[in-house]
Amino acid sequence: MSLVALAFALVIGSCTCSDRPLGDPPADRVEPACLWLISPYAELADGGTHLIYDEPHHRSGTVCLCLTQDEFDGLGDRYERVGWPEEGTLLEEYNELAYEECKRLSALIEDVVDDECLEYYEAGDWLDDIYFARGDWAIGAPPGFTCDDP
């Protein structure tokens, strides 16, 4: 085989999906990557407080996006992030979804006069709690959420 043909075969041949080792996930595989709404509270009319959580499912509220491993890795070290999530980023999308879910769950609580949803949203506090819903964390995705193709 000529050197040119060998180089061509290595470059072109190594880029096909059929060369992916058996058992390895495809490069574009997406999975639920979820965010826990950790411990926001609602203030009640009687002066008490109530934890905002997904009462019908007896769990903390969560929101998920379908991400590849590279996208998840691209979120960076969320624990070291400083400031507001940049516009148009996945972190901004998570923050928006979490705020909407927090407000939705807060509205289900009787006699709520205020909640901490806006404070969490403005601080991006819940952005530290994003994980793939797999293994021990498989229960993290909300009931019915899937990344499977229709």
Side-chain angles (χ1 to χ4, degrees), residues 20 68 84:
R20 181 173 45 85
T68 64
W84 183 254

Side-chain angles (χ1 to χ4, degrees), residues 22-88:
L22 290 176
D24 281 0
D28 61 349
R29 179 175 175 219
V30 295
E31 298 179 69
C34 304
L35 173 151
W36 289 105
L37 277 66
I38 302 293
S39 303
Y41 279 87
E43 293 179 33
L44 306 177
D46 66 5
T49 59
H50 190 286
L51 179 65
I52 299 171
Y53 70 105
D54 187 352
E55 289 188 44
H57 298 104
H58 309 288
R59 54 184 274 137
S60 292
T62 57
V63 295
C64 301
L65 293 172
C66 295
L67 303 182
T68 64
Q69 183 68 51
D70 286 343
E71 289 171 323
F72 181 81
D73 294 343
L75 293 175
D77 189 351
R78 293 166 305 280
Y79 298 98
E80 297 296 324
R81 130 194 133 274
V82 176
W84 183 254
E86 292 181 37
E87 188 173 324

Side-chain angles (χ1 to χ4, degrees), residues 3 10 17 19 22 35 52 60 66 71-72 78 87 98 101 104 106 110 112 114 130 134 146 148:
L3 192 53
L10 288 174
C17 291
D19 290 338
L22 290 176
L35 173 151
I52 299 171
S60 292
C66 295
E71 289 171 323
F72 181 81
R78 293 166 305 280
E87 188 173 324
E101 180 66 358
R104 184 188 76 78
S106 177
E110 195 172 314
V112 169
D114 198 9
I130 301 171
R134 59 167 86 127
T146 181
D148 297 334

Side-chain angles (χ1 to χ4, degrees), residues 83-93:
W84 183 254
E86 292 181 37
E87 188 173 324
T89 64
L90 288 171
L91 288 177
E92 180 191 37
E93 188 170 353

